[in-house]
Amino acid sequence: MSFIFVAHDTPEPSLYAAMAAILAALKHIPLAHLPVSWDIARYPDACQHIIGEGQLMTSGLLWTERMNPQSAGKIMELGDLLNTYGTQDVVIPLGPMQIIQFTQIARQVRDNALDYELVTVERANQGYAFNRHGHTDETSGCWWRDRYGRWINQNMPPQTGPSLRIALVGTQSDQCSIYPATLAALGDAADALSLSLDMVYAAPQALEDHLHEVMENVDGILLPGGSAMCNVTGQTCAAHYALNRNIPVLGLCLGMQIMTTAIVQKMLGSTKANLAEADPDAEIKTFVPLTDTPTFPVHRLGDHQMHCRPGSRLNDILGDECTVRYNHLFHLEPELKPDLEKYGLCISGTDISGKIADGIEFTHHPFYLGVQGHPELSSLRVKPHPLLVAFLKAAGSQRR
């Protein structure tokens, strides 16, 4: 029995554990992981991957779940990990700080009378390969990321179908190097529809002054989640752009909150409405802390059921009920709901109590739909999430 440590010395959170996940999949053995830290000032969404059991962890652990469709598992201290996996082979990724500490890690493994191997990740051709004892491991091959950030070890034939111009509201660095799930899920949906996507990475802060230039000729807009409140103004501009031009738009988590806020602003004819998280002094707060409402949870984290309203577009796509992964502390201000429903905003998804808005759609728009959860985390290359597929279908139908 052996602990196989995979050291990848990179500051990119999206690369953490990626090659380790590949090795675990090749060997058909589990992957376990230790606490790891990142420069949150530089990478605010470094730890935004959510496992179904309800824990936030490094975004690169997405690849573990995509390579082996099962939970990445909870973060474990080394002692617990040794006790749990001491009788079987296991792959353990090492981030930059863990590599520095590896002498102490190795000593603790030996003190428990366990064997270990250190495999390093090295640059090779256009991608990455494993290095064992100073030699490249040719048997495992070279791995690299495709145009949607997904890991491959052979060139894939280009899509020959129609091309869509899709704006993903976020910087390319955010979507590729920090939180790769949204782009990967778009790629899954595009493959299923035999589409090629011309991606436009719309940096939110640039949209405040250059909205029309950046969004020119886009077929669809995706508003992703995220924790950086400095992006909210630009994201709201993108939501209004989609509203005013009938461009299909999908919102995920924060994206749904932004889309709803844009409807509130349009309904009231005022920009004084905003998220409490982004502007605590806003005259009208559209999304407020869950803790403001008695009986509501403090933090909804992990897999929960969403009920979809009969007759809604969301119900057509997902059915009456589905499991969605959540990470949120805020919810739609209840006092706004009656007026919003009259204005045409359908609360098409709720939690099991029926009180928390988990999905919205605007009935006066061809495709203006958002969900409070993270469907991108449930997408696989062989099984794209139906919400992403529906979004691309809508974008394609508008073009025709």
Side-chain angles (χ1 to χ4, degrees):
M1 304 302 172
S2 177
F3 281 49
I4 305 172
F5 292 96
V6 178
H8 193 170
D9 193 4
T10 170
E12 290 188 39
S14 70
L15 290 179
Y16 171 74
M19 288 294 286
I22 289 169
L23 187 61
L26 291 173
K27 289 182 169 291
H28 305 289
I29 59 177
L31 179 145
H33 48 100
L34 301 163
V36 61
S37 59
W38 303 94
D39 183 352
I40 300 300
R42 182 179 178 187
Y43 302 117
D45 290 328
C47 297
Q48 289 294 306
H49 181 68
I50 313 145
I51 59 171
E53 300 92 317
Q55 190 176 49
L56 281 169
M57 53 188 58
T58 303
S59 298
L61 284 158
L62 165 77
W63 307 116
T64 301
E65 300 200 357
R66 286 180 63 99
M67 295 288 174
N68 295 300
Q70 59 188 28
S71 172
K74 294 190 175 182
I75 300 165
M76 301 176 72
E77 297 290 344
L78 183 56
D80 293 333
L81 192 152
L82 294 173
N83 292 331
T84 303
Y85 294 97
T87 59
Q88 61 181 306
D89 291 341
V90 62
V91 172
I92 305 165
L94 299 176
M97 291 305 297
Q98 294 163 326
I99 293 171
I100 294 172
Q101 300 164 353
F102 185 67
T103 300
Q104 295 96 310
I105 292 172
R107 182 181 300 115
Q108 190 171 342
V109 174
R110 287 196 303 269
D111 289 346
N112 281 264
L114 296 170
D115 293 329
Y116 74 88
E117 178 185 9
L118 178 62
V119 177
T120 58
V121 177
E122 62 179 17
R123 293 293 308 216
N125 299 322
Q126 75 272 46
Y128 298 91
F130 298 107
N131 187 298
R132 298 172 182 271
H133 311 296
H135 301 285
T136 301
D137 181 359
E138 303 289 350
T139 61
S140 298
C142 179
W143 293 78
W144 61 94
R145 292 176 282 185
D146 70 6
R147 60 194 302 264
Y148 303 114
R150 301 169 302 180
W151 288 86
I152 56 175
N153 67 344
Q154 57 185 348
N155 288 314
M156 308 299 291
Q159 289 289 357
T160 57
S163 176
L164 293 179
R165 186 171 170 82
I166 300 297
L168 179 51
V169 181
T171 65
Q172 186 167 1
S173 173
D174 285 345
Q175 302 304 318
C176 297
S177 300
I178 304 175
Y179 185 83
T182 309
L183 181 60
L186 275 171
D188 299 337
D191 286 351
L193 298 172
S194 298
L195 294 172
S196 176
L197 302 186
D198 176 14
M199 297 303 305
V200 176
Y201 297 98
Q205 295 181 49
L207 295 179
E208 296 179 39
D209 299 314
H210 304 284
L211 178 66
H212 298 278
E213 302 156 59
V214 176
M215 292 294 186
E216 186 177 9
N217 297 324
V218 299
D219 299 302
I221 298 171
L222 196 153
L223 289 162
S227 61
M229 292 297 105
C230 59
N231 292 332
V232 166
T233 300
Q235 291 168 321
T236 308
C237 290
H240 279 292
Y241 189 88
L243 267 175
N244 296 334
R245 287 162 179 76
N246 285 332
I247 298 171
V249 57
L250 175 65
L252 311 176
C253 196
L254 178 66
M256 184 200 96
Q257 298 181 11
I258 296 292
M259 292 171 66
T260 308
T261 299
I263 295 289
V264 174
Q265 292 178 351
K266 189 176 179 71
M267 177 179 72
L268 300 177
S270 171
T271 58
K272 294 179 180 179
N274 204 349
L275 313 176
E277 186 178 13
D279 182 5
D281 298 322
E283 188 174 309
I284 300 165
K285 296 179 177 63
T286 56
F287 280 76
V288 296
L290 285 164
T291 51
D292 284 0
T293 304
T295 75
F296 277 13
V298 173
H299 190 180
R300 288 176 76 208
L301 190 62
D303 285 346
H304 297 275
Q305 292 301 111
M306 177 172 71
H307 293 286
C308 301
R309 184 171 178 171
S312 67
R313 183 187 291 269
L314 196 62
N315 188 285
D316 290 342
I317 297 168
L318 299 176
D320 294 336
E321 187 174 288
C322 62
T323 301
V324 184
R325 202 163 291 184
Y326 292 89
N327 170 28
H328 74 113
L329 294 156
F330 292 78
H331 71 113
L332 177 60
E333 167 57 62
E335 292 183 3
L336 292 172
K337 290 180 182 180
D339 287 340
L340 282 170
E341 291 271 7
K342 291 176 186 176
Y343 190 71
L345 185 82
C346 171
I347 298 174
S348 51
T350 67
D351 71 325
I352 57 174
S353 74
K355 296 178 181 178
I356 299 176
D358 278 346
I360 60 95
E361 52 198 74
F362 191 45
T363 55
H364 307 311
H365 189 281
F367 192 98
Y368 191 92
L369 194 152
V371 290
Q372 182 63 76
H374 290 274
E376 73 276 14
L377 297 179
S378 303
S379 183
L380 298 173
R381 191 161 196 155
V382 295
K383 190 179 179 181
H385 197 283
L387 203 52
L388 277 298
V389 173
F391 165 63
L392 292 185
K393 282 183 177 178
S397 65
Q398 286 295 107
R399 171 175 257 195
R400 292 192 292 273

